[in-house]
Structure formats: C-alpha cells, structure tokens
Amino acid sequence: MAVATQQLSHVYPRGSFLDDRGHLHVGGCDVTELAHEFGTPAYLVAEDDLRARAREFKQAFAQLHPGPSQLVFATKAFPCTAVLRLFAEEGLGCDVASGGELALALKAGVDPKKIHLHGNAKSDEEIAYALASGIGDVVVDNLDDLEKLERLVPNGETQAVQVRVTPDVAGDTHAAISTGQADSKFGFGLDAARDVLAKIEASDKLDLTGLHAHIGSQLLQLDPFRRAVEAMATLGTEFRTVNVGGGLGVAYTRDQEPPRIADYARAKIEAVHEHFGTGVTIMDEPGRALVGNGAVTIYRVQSVKRNVSTWVGVDGGMSDNLRPMLYGAVYEAEVADRFGEGTPCKLVGKHCESGDVIIAAADLKDPRPGDVVVTPATGGYGYSMANNYNGQPRAPVVFCKDGDARVVVRRETYDDLLARDVA
Ligand SMILES: *Cc1c(COP(=O)(O)O)cnc(C)c1O
C-alpha cells in the first residue's frame, strides 16, 4: 500500500495524494500505472468522491429542510450508466434532457418516478417515450410542449408537469451556460408563465406540481440563487414543488473557492422557506458539483516542441474535453509522477486546429515524450461532450476505489468508428 506523503488541492478528487515516489494516486490507484494498464487518454473517476458529494447534498437538504426534498443528478454532466447507477444507489433521481439520456437512466435502473424530462425542443418521440416510461415530471419549457402533451397524454390519464421560468436573474458565468436572463432560449418569462399556469390548471391531462428555474452553471456566488427564488414567488406561493435547478460551481484551479455544498443548500432552502414556506417539496438538480472534481483525465505526452512557446502535445484534446475551446474554460495540469513547475508551456491536443489548446498557460516539470499528464476536475461535461474529431476513438471511463480500478465504459475501437456505416 502506497504511503501518502502529500495531500493535494481541492481541485483533485477527495483522497488523492502523492506517494513517497511522487506518484499521483486517485481512488487509491497509482495513476501512472493506470495509464499503462488502460491506455490514454482516459477518464479516471474516484468513486468514493462522487458518493461523498451525493451524501453531502442529501444531508444538507435533510438537515435544513423539514419538508420533503428530492435531489436529482443532471445527467448531462456525466451521462453514463455507471455514474447514474452510483447516484441511484445513493438515493438520487436524475433529470434528462433527451430521449438518449432517458434511455441511459432507465438502463441504469433509476426509478422512473425519479426521472424528470427537460428540454427546449422536445420531440413527439421523446415525450411519448417519457410518458410510456412513467417518468416523474415533464418540465414544460414552451407552449409547443403544452400542445404536444395535450395530444400525447392518453385520454383519462394525467401527467405531472412543472413550469420552467426564466426569472430574469443572470448569474456571473459564461454566456453559453447562463440561462436565467429574460432573453433565453429556456423557459417562460414571468408574465408568459402566468398564462401557462392558467392553461395547465384548466387541463384535464396535466397535473401541475410546481415551478422550475435553473439560472445557469458554474456559479460561484449564492445571491443569484436567492433572487431567482424570490422572482419565482411572484407567480404565487401555493405550489407542491419548487425546483431550484442546479448550478453550483466547482474549482478548476486551486485558487478557485466555490461555495460549500452546505452553504449552497442553505441559501436556496432559506429563500424557499421565506417565499414558499417550509412544507413544500424542494427539488435541486446538481450536475457539475456532483462529478466535476471527482474525476481526472490522463494523457500521454507525444511531442515536446520549442519555438516561441513550448508546446506539449498529448494524445487527446478537444475530442475528450471541449470546454476550453467552447468557453475558454481554464484547467491545471501536472506530470502524474513528477508534480511541480519549471517549464511554462502550452498543453495542446492532437487535433487539426490551432484552437485545440487544453491549457494555454500550463507549467509542467520538465515534460518529456512518454510522460503521463493529468488534468484534474474533468468529471463535469468532459465525457458528455466527447466526440470523434479526427477519427479519435472516445476515451474509456475507469472507476477507482480502494486501490482497485475497473473499466465502466470501454475505449472505442476503430471498428466502433465504422459500426454505423451502411456499405
Ligand atoms: C445543466 C442543468 C443542470 C445542472 O447544472 P450544473 O451547473 O451542472 O449543476 C440542472 N438543471 C437543468 C435544467 C440543466 O439544464
């Protein structure tokens, strides 16, 4: 058993450490050895980290809210059955934003009643699939959703629905992941929501459970959450459920200090109590905060080039982590068995675009071809946005726990790349 000689920053999965030889361990496994065993790139998930965060969320809501609460993992943050199954085992439900995510959730064994369907452009097929699966709530995002539900819910049956509102509260985050502003593709403005609520009340097929608002992602301040609840309450306060969405940010670099889960829960719960009372069911939909810091990505260095800059080229990039290219997301990196600094460099992927830069201002310790490089905090929206650019087979997901590692999603093969060709 390796000896922990150095604890790491909160960017790494809980329980990660450097051993006496300076090797990074995640979930009790030597990351350099895992690179050898499973290949690179790969997503390494510390199973205990995910479970611990799920329990922290549950505990916070149970302690602070006397009424019922339901925690719902936002599937899109890490859409694979192993992750969904883990959270289901911890008692969480999940929200899905497509038929594909619903298929994953059902396959993972999530209780359909704890699955909720979102989306600003749901198709007839997706809604029919959700209805046939007996899911919990459908979150109505637009008038077309209403028309589809009225048509697709069988006569004599009812479907539980929530109404998604955009409370005109913008969190301080990148425009691409801000959703609470009035001019949004998601949900109804407050005035429009009043009409929709009246329409649902008049419907024989739709059973209104409550309101929903998700104002954005990677939020590092709590005040916008409070203001969103306050705005929701202008639509009335007699609802069975208030769904306050997700959005809690995580640390991508060691200098970032996101709010603690308990403080996030307290801010939302206090606002709900103030405006809707203590008996209401509170739903919360964390995605990134459950998985973001629980995983790291490993790469192998393929080339080190020096011109104006030093370019450290690895065997992945925008095919396994699109966030830096989509919204300038910033990450850290280390050589997995040689932590430290000394070589300012650009950590770049293998793809045929100059924009394929994973970290523009990395600082590695003497990086060389063959080294394993690790980027922490890749659990949220890494795997979910993976793609096959340049014919890159998508990376595997490896669960690590107590020194044991198991593949839960295997690496794609070249045959997989050909599997859909009709020739
Ligand atoms: C993306 C999303 C979430 C989760 O957001 P995080 O920032 O990952 O917590 C929750 N609810 C809805 C409706 C979403 O679209």
Side-chain angles (χ1 to χ4, degrees), residues 74 76 95 118 164 212 214 217-218 246-247 285-288 381:
K76 71 174 190 282
D95 73 39
H118 282 285
R164 178 161 184 171
H212 169 276
H214 169 70
S217 204
Q218 184 55 15
E285 304 174 324
R288 187 191 313 267
Y381 305 97

Side-chain angles (χ1 to χ4, degrees), residues 23 25 29 94 99 105 114 153 268 286 354 369 372 390 393 414-416:
H23 284 219
H25 289 243
C29 301
C94 68
K114 290 186 179 177
V153 173
K268 284 186 162 182
S354 291
V372 176
N390 286 131
Y414 293 151
D415 280 343
D416 289 327

